[in-house]
């Protein structure tokens, strides 16, 4: 999935005098990168909100003109079908191969970024400077330094802001469990387990940008397990320290293909974290043992109410335990659920969840996981900042893990191609 790059610094800061009220009209959306994630996950969500009068897709950008044009054709048909009983079909989105030109001509309110990670920083900065909010697929950027550079380009009062696609945080199940934990209904959280054990074969890593630090940012901790780790942090709150190991057990890649970690949280809870692409029996799992109950989520790529289970401790009254089991109407985790909340934040001019410090927390945990694994040391929250090699690159220039200079140059050339 490739798309047009943009040159950093080509946009001026958004003119605050430009009228940008988002009340009483649809939010204008542009999609950058028209591959599988854009078509399979973002387009259905955008079409649903178009049906509800919230959004309209005005443009798509891809380095391949044919892909951008085909996406626009499919988007127009999908949105037209969704809106058929509501109002006349909107004008078809326009296809572009140049991000700068699209931003200048279309002036979107929201830019959805579905490109490889190495492109995220420059594309996000370009969109923010053009006055657009951003919703970027994970991982948001390859390093903490890149994240801080993006955040520096955000608006201060009312946006625009850049948010990360962390759809597992959203939906009825997560909302219910988050409330139970926040209210200490099940007592203090004590022990947790976070598991992303998936399977990826050699064909998966034949794609040139995968398995390389410069273009993917990391291995399964960064590209796969980030969703469950982010959800664990969303449920349990800030982490305080991590001790980790990582290895290359099967694949011929620069990054790891498996990692394990022990994490202590600020509230005292302790967790194990496992991220793997070596596991034929694929599963995503979170388990939290509290004083009065165990809550567990078992799924793969998305969850519904039925994927959650609450097991009360002995002695908990039946009525109370029954209330814990009442998740309400089923709203599965999805891009749609997160997009709904993002649109509401845009209309209110408020920073959305999964942005700023809230979005940075999982990226910082991953940087700490790598630092701990590659230096054989315990890493504490807040320790990795400017001047630390793990701040500017997840491999931290660690011997045996950092790519050699020739390999870095080759990675950059293939990514540009």
């Amino acid at each position: 999935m490739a798309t047009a790059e943009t040159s950093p610094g080509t946009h001026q800061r958004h003119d605050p005098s430009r009228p940008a009220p988002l009340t009483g009209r649809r939010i204008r959306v542009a999609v950058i990168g028209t591959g599988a994630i854009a078509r399979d996950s973002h387009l259905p969500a955008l079409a649903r909100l178009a049906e509800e009068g919230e959004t309209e897709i005005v443009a798509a950008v891809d380095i391949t003109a044919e892909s951008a044009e085909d996406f626009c054709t499919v988007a127009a048909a999908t949105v037209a079908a969704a809106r058929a009983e509501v109002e006349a079909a909107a004008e078809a989105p326009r296809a572009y191969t140049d991000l700068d030109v699209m931003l200048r001509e279309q002036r979107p309110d929201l830019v959805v970024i579905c490109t490889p990670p190495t492109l995220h920083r420059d594309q996000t900065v370009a969109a923010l400077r053009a006055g657009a909010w951003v919703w970027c697929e994970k991982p948001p950027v390859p390093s903490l330094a890149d994240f801080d550079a993006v955040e520096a380009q955000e608006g201060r009062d009312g946006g625009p802001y850049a948010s990360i696609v962390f759809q597992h945080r959203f939906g009825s199940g997560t909302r219910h469990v988050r409330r139970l934990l926040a209210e200490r209904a099940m007592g203090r959280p004590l022990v947790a387990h976070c598991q992303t054990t998936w399977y990826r074969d050699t064909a998966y890593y034949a794609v040139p940008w995968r398995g390389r630090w410069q273009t993917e940012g990391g291995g399964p901790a960064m590209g796969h397990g980030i969703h469950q780790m982010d959800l664990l942090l969303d449920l349990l709150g800030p982490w305080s320290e991590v001790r980790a190991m990582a290895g290359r057990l099967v694949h011929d890649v620069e990054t790891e293909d498996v990692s394990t970690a022990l994490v202590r949280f600020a509230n005292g809870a302790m967790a194990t974290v496992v991220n793997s692409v070596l596991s034929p029996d694929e599963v995503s799992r979170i388990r939290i043992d509290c004083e009065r109950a165990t809550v567990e989520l078992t799924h793969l790529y998305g969850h519904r109410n039925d994927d959650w289970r609450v097991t009360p401790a002995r002695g908990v009254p039946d009525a109370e335990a029954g209330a814990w089991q009442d998740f309400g109407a089923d709203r599965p985790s999805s891009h749609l659920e997160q997009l709904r909340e993002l649109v509401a934040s845009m209309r209110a001019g408020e920073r959305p969840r999964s942005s700023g410090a809230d979005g940075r927390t999982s990226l910082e945990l991953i940087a700490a996981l790598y630092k701990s694994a590659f230096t054989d040391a315990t890493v504490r929250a807040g320790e990795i900042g400017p001047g630390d090699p793990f701040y500017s690159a997840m491999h931290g220039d660690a011997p045996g893990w950092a790519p050699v200079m020739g390999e870095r140059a080759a990675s950059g050339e293939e990514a540009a191609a």
Side-chain angles (χ1 to χ4, degrees):
M1 177 172 56
T3 192
E5 296 187 50
T6 187
S7 301
T10 57
H11 289 281
Q12 298 297 315
R13 293 288 291 174
H14 174 52
D15 181 2
S17 66
R18 167 189 166 190
L22 296 177
T23 56
R25 67 174 180 86
R26 293 175 180 271
I27 289 176
R28 295 166 53 82
V29 182
V31 177
I32 317 301
T34 56
I37 192 68
R39 295 168 186 256
D40 297 342
S41 297
H42 288 277
L43 181 54
L46 289 166
R48 179 64 180 272
L49 289 193
E51 179 183 4
E52 297 172 6
E54 292 284 2
T55 63
E56 60 176 324
I57 304 173
V58 298
V61 185
D62 199 283
I63 198 169
T64 304
E66 293 79 5
S67 180
E69 291 165 0
D70 180 67
F71 180 89
C72 288
T73 299
V74 173
T78 303
V79 172
R83 294 172 57 179
E85 297 181 3
V86 181
E87 57 185 80
E91 182 179 346
R94 285 195 58 188
Y96 292 85
T97 57
D98 189 301
L99 176 57
D100 294 329
V101 173
M102 185 281 292
L103 291 170
R104 185 170 59 250
E105 292 184 356
Q106 296 296 328
R107 300 166 73 89
D109 304 306
L110 174 64
V111 170
V112 179
I113 297 179
C114 305
T115 56
T118 190
L119 304 176
H120 289 176
R121 171 177 170 166
D122 288 349
Q123 292 172 341
T124 300
V125 167
L128 290 169
R129 287 178 172 173
W133 293 52
V134 174
W135 193 31
C136 183
E137 274 293 338
K138 59 78 188 170
V141 284
S143 71
L144 290 171
D146 290 326
F147 189 95
D148 291 346
V150 166
E151 190 174 5
Q153 297 297 325
E154 292 182 322
R156 289 295 172 264
D157 297 311
Y161 300 114
S163 183
I164 310 163
V165 178
F166 280 143
Q167 73 274 16
H168 289 194
R169 287 192 188 194
F170 299 82
S172 52
T174 303
R175 183 169 55 249
H176 178 64
V177 171
R178 186 190 302 112
R179 181 182 61 79
L180 292 177
L181 290 168
E183 295 175 354
R184 291 287 199 267
M186 300 179 293
R188 291 183 301 123
L190 303 173
V191 184
H193 175 67
C194 178
Q195 176 182 350
T196 305
T197 44
W198 295 356
Y199 185 79
R200 298 294 183 266
D201 59 16
T202 53
Y204 176 84
Y205 285 104
V207 177
W209 60 267
R210 288 180 176 150
R212 295 185 175 183
W213 294 108
Q214 183 172 343
T215 48
E216 193 170 18
M222 186 73 150
H224 304 85
I226 189 172
H227 275 304
Q228 296 313 298
M229 288 188 286
D230 178 76
L231 177 54
L232 184 71
L233 291 167
D234 188 54
L235 295 173
L236 288 184
W239 62 276
S240 60
E241 60 179 313
V242 60
R243 193 77 163 83
M245 294 188 296
R248 301 186 195 98
L249 303 187
V250 173
H251 296 292
D252 182 17
V253 292
E254 289 181 351
T255 65
E256 86 288 3
D257 57 16
V258 62
S259 68
T260 64
L262 302 175
V263 182
R264 191 188 307 274
F265 285 79
N267 61 17
M270 299 174 65
T272 58
V273 177
V274 180
N275 300 301
S276 165
V277 288
L278 311 178
S279 309
D281 183 11
E282 297 185 287
V283 68
S284 303
R285 179 178 292 121
I286 285 179
R287 171 182 170 131
I288 302 173
D289 296 323
C290 299
E291 292 174 303
R292 306 181 66 222
T294 292
V295 59
E296 186 170 14
L297 167 65
T298 304
H299 67 115
L300 188 54
Y301 299 136
H303 50 84
R304 311 179 66 93
N305 286 354
D306 287 346
D307 297 317
W308 294 84
R309 184 178 64 186
V310 180
T311 303
R314 291 187 294 272
V316 171
D318 290 344
E320 191 173 7
W324 296 346
Q325 305 284 356
D326 183 6
F327 283 73
D330 193 8
R331 302 291 289 269
S333 68
S334 65
H335 286 66
L336 175 60
E337 286 302 301
Q338 183 173 2
L339 182 60
R340 285 189 195 281
E341 188 169 311
L342 174 59
V343 166
S345 296
M346 291 179 67
R347 294 197 184 282
E350 298 173 347
R351 177 177 286 283
R353 285 200 292 154
S354 297
S355 72
D358 182 50
R360 192 181 189 274
T361 181
S362 56
L363 199 67
E364 184 188 6
L365 175 59
I366 293 167
L369 183 155
Y370 284 133
K371 181 175 181 178
S372 176
F374 300 162
T375 64
D376 193 27
T378 297
V379 178
R380 290 171 174 78
E383 167 180 326
I384 301 175
D388 189 309
F390 288 89
Y391 178 73
S392 54
M394 289 291 173
H395 55 70
D397 287 325
W401 288 100
V404 299
M405 291 305 297
E407 292 172 341
R408 293 183 194 181
S411 296
E413 290 170 2
E414 290 184 18

